Amino acid sequence: MLDDVDRRLLRHFQADPSLSTAELAERARISTSLCWRRIEKMQEAGIIEGQEAVIDWSALGYAVEVSLRVTLDKTQPRAFDEFTAAARSVAEVIEIQTFLGRVDVRLSVLARDMSHYQQLYRDQILTLPHIADIEALMHIARVKSDVVLPV
């Protein structure tokens, strides 16, 4: 379990993952060597999985974001595996989530514009295997996007 030092480190690390070990240690009020050991321990335990860059896709010309809710033909025993393997090969699919319930899979798809999205949808999405039903939800605004939890 996490102690107060680990939680302090995680709070500061979540707020700014670009901090150096020395800066993180200073903010958490611990030594640099202890900070390094604690961060390494949390990485080995799988608590800290890595760091990632947050990219503003619209700044790169991707103005359309669509969430596709897909129901698969579950009479096919390998439907999930074959569908997700094929969906991974579509470069514009940036996220794949699986669910229990009526919807089996959700795909997050980025496109430059509606014409590009229409081409992607027709040529690459609809040709994915084992689709029984698909619903498109057009992204309008991101009201909250946060991966930070209170620790």
Side-chain angles (χ1 to χ4, degrees):
M1 292 307 302
L2 301 178
D3 64 12
D4 288 339
V5 171
D6 292 329
R7 282 191 282 280
R8 228 177 18 250
L9 282 170
L10 286 175
R11 275 194 298 274
H12 291 291
F13 192 62
Q14 286 184 112
D16 187 356
S18 68
L19 292 173
S20 69
T21 304
E23 292 168 324
L24 188 57
E26 182 180 324
R27 290 189 186 185
R29 298 181 316 277
I30 60 174
S31 71
T32 303
S33 61
L34 177 60
C35 178
W36 182 83
R37 285 193 309 271
R38 292 292 185 107
I39 292 292
E40 188 172 76
K41 181 180 156 191
M42 286 189 281
Q43 288 172 332
E44 289 170 359
I47 295 166
I48 298 174
E49 293 181 343
Q51 297 179 39
E52 56 188 32
V54 178
I55 298 170
D56 180 356
W57 293 106
S58 63
L60 295 176
Y62 287 85
V64 175
E65 184 175 343
V66 180
S67 182
L68 298 173
R69 298 192 307 189
V70 180
T71 302
L72 299 175
D73 176 6
K74 291 179 272 304
T75 64
Q76 302 298 317
R78 298 205 22 87
F80 272 93
D81 295 336
E82 291 173 4
F83 176 85
T84 55
R88 279 187 183 101
S89 70
V90 180
E92 292 84 357
V93 172
I94 61 165
E95 185 176 25
I96 302 171
Q97 295 179 331
T98 60
F99 298 93
L100 293 174
R102 193 183 71 74
V103 172
D104 298 309
V105 181
R106 188 186 68 80
L107 305 178
S108 289
V109 179
L110 293 176
R112 290 183 299 280
D113 52 34
M114 285 305 292
S115 176
H116 180 219
Y117 172 72
Q118 184 179 18
Q119 180 249 328
L120 276 170
Y121 186 75
R122 258 189 284 165
D123 298 345
Q124 294 187 59
I125 302 298
L126 288 179
T127 61
L128 293 172
H130 309 297
I131 295 175
D133 188 34
I134 190 166
E135 178 184 12
L137 302 171
M138 186 66 58
H139 173 82
I140 301 298
R142 184 164 278 108
V143 177
K144 180 179 180 180
S145 177
D146 203 350
V147 295
V148 175
L149 289 174
V151 287

